[in-house]
Amino acid sequence: MGILASNIVDARCRTQPRGADDLCPTQACLRQSSRRWIAACLIVWAGYPAHTETYRIATYAAPLSRDGPGLLLRDLRKGDDPAIAAIIDVIGHVAPDVILLTDFDYDLGGQALDAFADTLGQFPYRFAALPNAGMPTGLDLDGNGYTGDARDAQGYGRFSGDGGMAVLSRYPIGPVTDLSATLWKDVTGAVMPTTVDGPFPGIVAQDVQRLSSTAHWIVPIAPADGLVFHLLAWSATAPVFDGPEDRNGLRNRDELRVWENLLDAAPPRNSIVIGNVNLDPADGDGLREAMQMFLQRVDLQDPKPRSAGGVAAAAADHLGDPALDTADWPDRRPGNLRVSYILPSSNLTVAGAGVFRPAPDDAFSDVLGADGLLAGPHRLVWVDISGHP
């Protein structure tokens, strides 16, 4: 199966202050291969009792992308951006143990991620890798007759690293398996776009087109009690902004297929499917039946995180449960949608879940501004999880 031909990427794993050279035994084992990492950590944790704690896992498509490279770091260092301040307030209020950010500009040195995490002051372990977003191809991937556009990159992006992903954690991050280089055509069951003229935009383009519009990562998170979670993290393309070939709609559906194939074949223990799927099972554009079927998998559970604010903002023609919505675009179309998800494997115990979207009369709703969009249209989603080693 094509998606299992993967690449192991070392996590960028640090303790405060940044730049410290000494590694504790747990950190040192993160530098090894996946098998050696697990074996070494089991030795370190051998004296711990069975897990009894609950861990808060979150995902947030906060608008931490800018119009060019280095601009996010500039804004973080200036410290006067009201949207960044609101995002930090939201994360601080929810207080997750692990958070996946799905719209965070990547830079090679990790300076922006360090600056953001240092401001939060609670996440010594961090991971980011170069996304497909903005990765140039030199080809006309969107079929408009020109090359070099944002849509001609492996994933939509105005520059390399535009709108990538990042993981912040209170606990050690193991070696990450990066599936992002997988070609779309190599994914089992993939349906690539075609027109009456044949493959869209052509065979040459389809031979180099990666499936991940941003990234697909398997991220081990290891609390110091023998328990290891595996985040199946990704951020999918929006299923719109294309033509009758439905390039983005098909790609959005097949980005979900990556996890379907993995879960069917060789699922990591204690998996948590997490990220911005950009697909609502009932409303909006896209192949909604794919999300409906995914939510019905018996090896996963849907905690159905809810918010009071979602109910208050629901449109009259809304088909899904508005309490579950995780984004609110200001226009009627697409309006309110459920697009960000956290779906733990069925063996894990869910102790709670929510979407940070306070009701209008909630005192903390002011953090999102008068129109509720100060921190962008997306809302932070969280799930409290416990399990056994």
Side-chain angles (χ1 to χ4, degrees):
M1 183 171 59
I3 66 165
L4 296 181
S6 60
N7 181 34
I8 302 297
V9 180
D10 285 338
R12 190 173 281 120
C13 179
R14 309 189 183 97
T15 56
Q16 308 296 347
R18 182 175 181 266
D21 294 325
D22 295 331
L23 296 177
C24 68
T26 303
Q27 289 173 291
C29 71
L30 298 183
R31 301 299 184 186
Q32 313 302 319
S33 68
S34 295
R35 185 173 298 173
R36 292 175 61 194
W37 175 77
I38 293 172
C41 288
L42 287 175
I43 293 172
V44 171
W45 295 322
Y48 281 89
H51 158 71
T52 57
E53 293 190 34
T54 298
Y55 303 96
R56 178 158 292 182
I57 313 296
T59 186
Y60 195 8
L64 292 166
S65 181
R66 296 297 183 267
D67 292 334
L71 298 184
L72 176 60
L73 179 60
R74 176 204 65 185
D75 291 349
L76 288 166
R77 285 177 170 171
K78 287 173 64 178
D80 59 0
D81 187 300
I84 292 177
I87 292 165
I88 289 171
D89 284 346
V90 169
I91 295 174
H93 180 76
V94 176
D97 296 302
V98 180
I99 185 167
L100 169 69
L101 302 169
T102 59
D103 189 16
F104 196 101
D105 286 347
Y106 173 84
D107 63 81
L108 184 60
Q111 295 183 68
L113 183 57
D114 280 332
F116 184 73
D118 290 347
T119 300
L120 289 166
Q122 61 195 38
F123 298 110
Y125 301 95
R126 303 124 190 216
F127 175 81
L130 181 67
N132 288 338
M135 185 181 292
T137 65
L139 298 174
D140 177 21
L141 293 189
D142 63 351
N144 69 351
Y146 301 93
T147 60
D149 297 338
R151 291 186 175 87
D152 293 326
Q154 285 289 2
Y156 178 90
R158 299 154 294 178
F159 57 91
S160 184
D162 183 12
M165 304 195 313
V167 177
L168 301 177
S169 175
R170 297 179 187 270
Y171 307 109
I173 300 174
V176 173
T177 304
D178 191 350
L179 304 174
S180 308
T182 305
L183 296 179
W184 189 352
K185 67 177 185 177
D186 289 340
V187 174
T188 302
V191 179
M192 301 191 71
T194 60
T195 67
V196 293
D197 298 320
F200 178 89
I203 291 292
V204 173
Q206 291 196 356
D207 281 344
V208 302
Q209 177 67 76
R210 298 180 176 190
L211 174 60
S212 302
S213 54
T214 307
H216 280 78
W217 299 336
I218 303 173
V219 185
I221 304 292
D225 60 359
L227 179 66
V228 179
F229 297 115
H230 292 88
L231 305 184
L232 309 188
W234 91 115
S235 180
T237 185
V240 290
F241 310 119
D242 53 16
E245 82 290 340
D246 196 24
R247 175 177 181 247
N248 291 337
L250 293 172
R251 189 179 189 183
N252 172 275
R253 191 268 173 269
D254 283 346
E255 289 190 78
L256 181 62
R257 202 184 298 273
V258 170
W259 299 136
E260 291 176 339
N261 290 346
L262 179 69
L263 292 170
D264 288 343
R269 180 168 172 78
N270 298 328
S271 296
I272 303 171
V273 178
I274 182 171
N276 179 11
V277 187
N278 260 321
L279 188 61
D280 187 296
D283 297 285
D285 293 301
L287 301 173
R288 297 187 297 272
E289 62 276 9
M291 198 67 231
Q292 296 168 12
M293 293 176 61
F294 195 75
L295 291 173
Q296 294 171 10
R297 291 185 64 101
V298 297
D299 53 350
L300 298 175
Q301 53 185 314
D302 181 8
K304 296 185 178 180
R306 306 173 67 86
S307 73
V311 176
D317 58 352
H318 202 87
L319 298 178
D321 183 349
L324 303 178
D325 289 339
T326 67
D328 181 10
W329 285 273
D331 298 327
R332 181 178 176 275
R333 183 174 177 84
N336 291 13
L337 296 176
R338 186 186 186 189
V339 293
S340 291
Y341 298 81
I342 302 176
L343 306 173
S345 56
S346 56
N347 65 294
L348 295 173
T349 299
V350 173
V355 178
F356 181 80
R357 191 172 186 178
D361 59 351
D362 189 308
F364 207 74
S365 66
D366 291 345
V367 74
L368 298 176
D371 60 359
L373 297 172
L374 181 57
H378 292 270
R379 304 296 187 255
L380 185 151
V381 182
W382 60 269
V383 175
D384 289 340
I385 297 172
S386 61
H388 300 282

